[in-house]
Amino acid sequence: GNSVTQMEGPVTLSEEAFLTINCTYTATGYPSLFWYVQYPGEGLQLLLKATKADDKGSNKGFEATYRKETTSFHLEKGSVQVSDSAVYFCALGDSGGYQKVTFGTGTKLQVIP
Amino acid sequence: DTAVSQTPKYLVTQMGNDKSIKCEQNLGHDTMYWYKQDSKKFLKIMFSYNNKELIINETVPNRFSPKSPDKAHLNLHINSLELGDSAVYFCASSPLAGGSTDTQYFGPGTRLTVL
């Protein structure tokens, strides 16, 4: 079955540091890939997505590139802010049928001033 | 204006009770979901409905029963609550059924505590 593996957190960075959160996946077919973000006390919201190989998703300074050869979708940001502190979930959309999305275990990011 | 709303936001109850969580979306989406998030933030899908029809039913105890009176509502009823049911429950919706590119829109969550 499909699976998503993310690096374990928590990740603690100083403001303006470079961020990478690793995500790799296992899937059959050609899944879509997502990053969702969960701010404290809130539901998840889409951060970015990519629907085919070599696509780059980007939003709010975050980027991730769909790498089929390495089955990866790593999240990056060049300069994090305190307001980026949240839990980040990598997710995979099932290409085979109904909208079943498999989520990774989440990576908590804490950015300190 | 809230796209996906859930009530209540907090629910504290005794073991053995029966409770319901309500979810409504005003986005006109065809598909709705229930997820359970445990204390370690692990998110697991429980159910999915498309136009009031059950399409995903993961391995969930039959004490959990979803009900969809119309495509804008998906309620979750839980019988005989157990300590292990304590979690945050999220409702979500997406525009279409089938196709893996759809974004899911999440509600704010309901924190259930079973004492």
Side-chain angles (χ1 to χ4, degrees), chain A residues 7-13 19 21 86-87 106-111:
Chain A
M7 61 188 286
E8 284 199 26
V11 173
T12 302
L13 294 174
L19 169 71
I21 301 178
V87 181
T107 302
K108 184 175 182 178
L109 170 66
Q110 183 176 11
V111 181

Side-chain angles (χ1 to χ4, degrees), chain A residues 35-52:
Chain A
W35 277 100
Y36 283 84
V37 58
Q38 183 179 26
Y39 297 104
E42 298 183 11
L44 281 73
Q45 56 186 274
L46 180 72
L47 181 59
L48 53 85
K49 70 179 183 183
T51 58
K52 61 183 188 296

Side-chain angles (χ1 to χ4, degrees), chain B:
Chain B
D1 281 302
T2 306
V4 182
S5 59
Q6 297 179 225
T7 53
K9 189 168 175 62
Y10 299 96
L11 183 54
V12 181
T13 188
Q14 300 287 330
M15 256 185 357
N17 284 350
D18 302 339
K19 291 293 179 186
S20 292
I21 306 171
K22 296 186 176 181
C23 177
E24 176 180 2
Q25 54 96 2
N26 62 7
L27 298 167
H29 288 171
D30 285 343
T31 307
M32 296 183 72
Y33 312 80
W34 277 109
Y35 288 89
K36 179 181 180 181
Q37 186 177 49
D38 64 22
S39 58
K40 294 184 179 179
K41 300 292 187 183
F42 182 67
L43 199 66
K44 181 183 174 186
I45 190 166
M46 302 172 70
F47 304 102
S48 175
Y49 269 71
N50 174 254
N51 272 322
K52 303 192 296 175
E53 181 181 345
L54 181 66
I55 56 172
I56 295 174
N57 185 354
E58 293 294 287
T59 308
V60 175
N62 58 15
R63 299 181 295 102
F64 290 79
S65 54
K67 288 188 171 49
S68 183
D70 55 61
K71 79 170 195 177
H73 295 84
L74 181 62
N75 303 323
L76 184 66
H77 189 75
I78 316 170
N79 289 330
S80 303
L81 278 155
E82 299 178 358
L83 293 176
D85 298 332
S86 295
V88 180
Y89 292 83
F90 287 100
C91 179
S93 71
S94 65
L96 302 170
S100 61
T101 62
D102 274 358
T103 298
Q104 295 198 7
Y105 294 79
F106 283 78
T110 295
R111 181 175 293 277
L112 171 65
T113 304
V114 182
L115 303 175

